């Protein structure tokens, strides 16, 4: 599936806006963080995220797939099995996700 194209006016903050648009929302960055470990099934992701409901997780995964950051593989078996993994574009965000995780950990430590 091709990534959605969005146009930006390319003012001073345009590159930051373009990057943040991909991971906006409460769960997308956390989903990308967990997929760094490898391929996961829907229920595995839901267990790791804890507080996310089924509908919201499905929506966030669909948007990440439409953006080209993750891949979804459907296996023809009973019951159906669907795997989610980082796409090459998603893997290119790993340094960003790791930097966010490190910053968040340091902030939590500062807050005490």
């Amino acid at each position: 599936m091709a990534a959605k194209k969005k146009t930006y006016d390319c003012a001073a903050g345009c590159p930051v806006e373009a990057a943040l648009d991909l991971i906006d929302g409460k769960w997308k960055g956390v989903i990308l963080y967990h997929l760094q470990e490898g391929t996961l099934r829907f229920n595995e992701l839901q267990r790791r995220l804890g507080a996310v409901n089924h509908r919201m997780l499905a929506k966030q995964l669909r948007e990440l797939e439409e953006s080209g950051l993750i891949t979804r593989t459907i296996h023809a078996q009973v019951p159906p099995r669907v795997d989610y993994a980082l796409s090459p574009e998603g893997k290119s965000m790993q340094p960003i996700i790791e930097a966010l995780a490190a910053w968040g950990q340091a902030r939590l430590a500062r807050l005490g």
Side-chain angles (χ1 to χ4, degrees):
M1 179 176 286
K4 281 187 177 180
K5 296 278 185 184
K6 180 177 177 180
T7 57
Y8 298 92
D9 67 3
C10 282
C14 179
V16 175
E17 179 185 1
L20 289 176
D21 272 352
L22 294 174
I23 58 171
D24 69 337
K26 182 174 182 178
W27 300 107
K28 288 181 187 175
V30 182
I31 292 167
L32 294 172
Y33 175 79
H34 286 291
L35 287 176
Q36 289 182 105
E37 298 173 21
T39 301
L40 294 172
R41 295 173 72 177
F42 185 93
N43 287 337
E44 292 174 296
L45 276 167
Q46 193 167 29
R47 274 192 297 274
R48 290 180 185 214
L49 298 176
V52 67
N53 66 45
H54 183 92
R55 183 172 161 246
M56 179 56 70
L57 180 57
K59 178 181 183 291
Q60 298 281 279
L61 287 167
R62 188 169 36 271
E63 290 174 6
L64 286 167
E65 184 183 12
E66 288 171 357
S67 297
L69 295 179
I70 66 170
T71 59
R72 180 174 62 124
T73 305
I74 303 168
H75 300 276
Q77 66 184 51
V78 177
R81 185 176 127 209
V82 181
D83 292 333
Y84 295 92
L86 291 177
S87 67
E89 188 75 8
K91 288 178 182 175
S92 75
M93 290 194 77
Q94 284 183 288
I96 297 163
I97 299 300
E98 287 298 322
L100 283 170
W103 185 86
Q105 186 173 19
R107 174 151 170 80
L108 289 172
R110 286 191 304 274
L111 295 174

